[in-house]
Amino acid sequence: MKFDILIAGVGGQGVILASRLLGLASIEADLHVTTAETIGMSQREGAVVSHVRIGDEVFGPLIPKGCADLILGMEPAEAVRNMPFLRPGGAMAVNTHAIVPASVAIGASQYEPEQIIAFIKKACPGALLLNATQLAQDAGNYRAANAALLGAAAAAGMLPFSADDLWRAMEKELPQKHIAVNKKAFEMAAHMVYNIKN
Amino acid sequence: MSKTQFLMGNEAIAFGAIEAGVNIATGYPGTPSSEVLETIAHYADQYGIYAEWSINEKVALETAIGAAYAGAKAIATMKQVGLNVASDPLLSLSYIGVKGALVIMVADDPGPHSSQTEQDTRAFAHFANIPVLDPSTPQEAHDMAIWAFELSHKMQTPVILRTTTRVSHGCSDVIVGDLKPVPWDIEGFTKNARWTIFPKLTAQRHPWLEELQQKLSDIFSSSAFNRISGNGCIGIIASGIAYKCVEEILKNLDICVKVFKVGTPYPFPERKALEFLEGLEYAIAVEELDPHIEHQLLQIIGRYNLPVKVYGKEDGTFPKWGEYNVDIVKSGLQKAFSAIGFDGHTGNHQPTVQPQQLPPLPVRQPTLCAGCMHRTVFYAFKRAFANVPAVFSGDIGCYTLGNAEPLNMVDTCLCMGAGISIAAGLQHVQPDVKHVAFIGDSTFFHSGIPAIINAVYNGADITVAVLDNRTTAMTGHQPHPGIGVTATGKPAKAIDIAAIARSCGVELVKSVDAQDLTACIAAAKEAAEFHGPAVLVFRGPCINLEKTGKQYEIDEQECTLCNYCVEQLGCPAISLTDGVPEIQSTCGGCGLCAQICPVNAIVLKEDRS
């Protein structure tokens, strides 16, 4: 069994927390796991990527190109930037809320979120798209977008553990004061996906 | 009792050190090494360990050396360029040795991800005559940490434990032992001529040191951290993360090769290498950074006159730079196999999407956080020097990011504390241009003080702007001598930067509120006019640590769409939607945009809680 997950987002979105939670859930499920994260320099509003490699045995922490089974995109442009890692038939779950970098505002680069979303739909027709940031905001704090995305992916059957197993691992790890809002965001996203499926 | 925990490599090393009974832990923050000391400090009180953030890596190493002289088990942690700062004590120490144990944990950074160099600590170890261990995984880092203390004590030599970013910052399930209070039955320092370096002592010890290298090479040849598997006439020798890439590639191939995993790159396990070379016609060396193992193999092949052809970096099979991954290693192996005429087709994955098929994507550079005080200070200097030719020498820290557009306020950056001395050097050559050096509070303590004294003593007419946000921010908000708290959270004397500058003889020293743009501009102008070195200490919060509790918004009625706020500042919280500027919820509340808006259209948001 092997399962490679790439999480892409912007510094400050909780990409590292998401990869840690997936790592902990893997250990609870008696699987080996290795991760690689971007820490420090890139986090200052920069592009952040985590590689999470789960399985019966794991090798180096970086997923080879074309081998990721799942891309979790906390931000659409970052999801697309990392699509060369996706294997044919791989899945994607993407937060549609775009974060426009300062380089765009000062005219040094461009960002057309609609174009990016359209690209995802074309290249990965089964991609799960949701505004996780809005959903988290509705749940009480936009920062719980990572919990929402994890809930959606788990409910869609995209992860090697169930939504219940994943939440159990999350509950053990999240700080007490943040559990309620994260749980709400996680469950709201999961229910949304169950409703779409039915 | 052992248990499985989900640990970062650095955490696993810290656990290993505690299990080995470390008494003293020192270090200076440096990505990707910082979490080792942080983790030890977290457990320090519980297990009776002394842990400190030292002012710089030289002091960190010297402090650990003192502890090791007295018979304690000590560890000093740093990143690879930090080893450069600690190199003076390091190189002398190998002649003297230690009594207790001393492990020097150094993190290299292939890429680099967050370092000025791609230097290879294995080469440093070779130069210093100090053994070095090179783990491939967090588990191995843990196990090697424990062994490093044993080895150091047994052979009375410091031992370097060298990681790379993906081992230090990679997380995985790691089996660790129980943590318990560390033993403190330590002999203490015993007076003996061996501890005082003199040329005569060095001359006596050098032959001992060379013999020690032979002994260590032999010990390493018997170590389980060096493993040979497989057979055939083609051999692959690999280390670190590169070894894991080789392992992954070979798993999916049905071919017959010999593999030599090297966990102890220096002194090179020669006896084991000869066993590996036995029967080989070809050897392929796979390692990141320097061709260290490749060169060791080549010299053995040369000395023993062996008929083995080596593929590696020297012949261009693998790159000499950059971080490795499975794709790069696969490409190199394919080149080597095909040169050999070996049908070892390594297989290629076809990704869903090729990089060239991607739509245009926004550039997302790391940038100063929304609300960062550095933005205000850089902008103030930009305004103050708008019509004055000036060169701005930067330094290492979050404020290095002041280099990016639209601020563009960092013209040079070299290494810790260099900005001040570089500004002085520039000034001696070009006295008709103004020279400003920016330096952070932690960097100031690390190595800025000697540079300031030198500027006073040798008369350099420079302005030093200390960006004091009361933390060592970029590496993870560690404390330093200016803050008043230690690594283990205990109160400490808070050492005053402005007072230091005055006592160094600087005649213009001012403390300025970094969030008051008018005051910052005035101070910058005053310092520019002043003849002689000036030190301005800009004090403000690190927005990551101290929330202002405020946010700003743009009054649409008043806004004239001049876009000044957007164009001048590059603040990530200000975006343009259909040409209309908007402040996002990531606003840190520094108020800089409000202070520059020509029509006062930016105002405090009403408290909505």
Side-chain angles (χ1 to χ4, degrees), chain B residues 561-577:
Chain B
L561 301 179
C562 71
N563 280 349
Y564 200 62
C565 53
V566 169
E567 285 160 15
Q568 293 291 307
L569 304 180
C571 175
I574 308 178
S575 60
L576 272 180
T577 320

Side-chain angles (χ1 to χ4, degrees), chain A residues 32 35 53 57 78 81 103, chain B residues 171 173 248 251 362-364:
Chain A
H32 288 301
T35 73
R53 312 193 73 191
E57 62 179 322
E78 298 315 310
R81 204 189 300 279
S103 66
Chain B
C171 299
D173 45 305
E248 181 164 353
K251 175 150 202 290
V363 168
R364 209 181 291 274

Side-chain angles (χ1 to χ4, degrees), chain B residues 116-427:
Chain B
Q116 311 102 269
T117 73
E118 276 202 281
Q119 64 189 68
D120 192 325
T121 294
R122 300 172 304 166
F124 219 126
H126 189 162
F127 173 39
N129 284 309
I130 293 178
V132 58
L133 308 179
D134 184 18
S136 295
T137 62
Q139 181 70 61
E140 214 173 26
H142 166 269
D143 302 341
M144 282 182 171
I146 295 175
W147 190 48
F149 283 94
E150 281 168 33
L151 186 68
S152 174
H153 180 67
K154 180 168 173 211
M155 306 309 290
Q156 299 277 282
T157 174
V159 173
I160 294 177
L161 177 61
R162 173 263 193 177
T163 62
T164 56
T165 301
R166 300 303 181 179
V167 174
S168 265
H169 278 170
C171 299
S172 102
D173 45 305
V174 181
I175 300 172
V176 297
D178 274 334
L179 299 184
K180 47 189 189 293
V182 304
W184 275 83
D185 51 343
I186 294 166
E187 190 183 351
F189 182 74
T190 47
K191 299 194 179 198
N192 187 303
R194 70 175 279 204
W195 303 119
T196 308
I197 197 113
F198 268 107
K200 192 169 165 194
L201 179 71
T202 301
Q204 278 170 9
R205 293 286 279 177
H206 198 174
W208 164 84
L209 186 58
E210 294 300 335
E211 257 181 57
L212 178 63
Q213 308 311 299
Q214 296 302 323
K215 287 194 182 131
L216 287 164
S217 170
D218 198 58
I219 290 173
F220 285 165
S221 286
S222 303
S223 161
F225 289 120
N226 297 310
R227 292 193 294 276
I228 297 177
S229 59
N231 52 57
C233 64
I234 300 176
I236 301 175
I237 180 172
S239 63
I241 287 288
Y243 168 74
K244 298 304 284 182
C245 296
V246 167
E247 199 187 23
E248 181 164 353
I249 292 165
L250 292 180
K251 175 150 202 290
N252 296 321
L253 289 184
D254 186 23
I255 56 172
C256 187
V257 291
K258 218 180 194 186
V259 178
F260 181 17
K261 176 193 185 303
V262 178
T264 65
Y266 179 81
F268 198 62
E270 180 165 310
R271 182 168 37 88
K272 196 80 176 176
L274 287 166
E275 191 190 314
F276 166 67
L277 289 164
E278 179 87 46
L280 286 190
E281 287 173 47
Y282 309 97
I284 308 172
V286 191
E287 59 190 322
E288 288 178 306
L289 301 181
D290 288 357
H292 171 84
I293 285 179
E294 184 178 337
H295 284 181
Q296 289 295 310
L297 205 67
L298 284 165
Q299 60 96 2
I300 291 175
I301 288 170
R303 281 166 44 226
Y304 287 84
N305 212 10
L306 300 172
V308 185
K309 174 150 174 60
V310 176
Y311 295 89
K313 294 178 201 261
E314 293 299 1
D315 67 346
T317 303
F318 289 95
K320 278 185 175 175
W321 51 78
E323 177 178 63
Y324 279 21
N325 54 43
V326 165
D327 301 295
I328 290 173
V329 172
K330 205 186 265 193
S331 164
L333 288 177
Q334 268 167 344
K335 257 197 225 166
F337 287 157
S338 115
I340 293 170
F342 177 65
D343 181 22
H345 190 67
T346 48
N348 282 312
H349 297 276
Q350 281 313 309
T352 304
V353 162
Q354 298 281 5
Q356 54 270 29
Q357 294 171 301
L358 299 180
L361 293 170
V363 168
R364 209 181 291 274
Q365 304 274 38
T367 180
L368 296 169
C369 297
C372 175
M373 59 154 269
H374 302 333
R375 186 173 277 109
T376 307
V377 179
F378 281 127
Y379 183 72
F381 273 83
K382 197 168 187 180
R383 284 269 288 268
F385 288 80
N387 301 310
V388 177
V391 180
F392 301 99
S393 291
D395 215 297
I396 305 284
C398 282
Y399 50 97
T400 319
L401 295 168
N403 154 270
E405 293 291 349
L407 289 173
N408 202 5
M409 285 296 289
V410 174
D411 297 319
T412 84
C413 183
L414 182 64
C415 63
M416 293 286 283
I420 298 171
S421 321
I422 287 178
L426 288 167
Q427 199 269 330

Side-chain angles (χ1 to χ4, degrees), chain B residues 537-554:
Chain B
V537 185
F538 295 93
R539 316 196 68 208
C542 169
I543 217 75
N544 251 287
L545 282 186
E546 302 175 46
K547 307 294 176 198
T548 58
K550 304 182 285 191
Q551 290 207 314
Y552 284 80
E553 60 185 356
I554 297 173

Side-chain angles (χ1 to χ4, degrees), chain B residues 525-544:
Chain B
K525 283 186 170 157
E526 186 185 350
E529 298 303 306
F530 185 77
H531 290 296
V535 173
L536 303 174
V537 185
F538 295 93
R539 316 196 68 208
C542 169
I543 217 75
N544 251 287

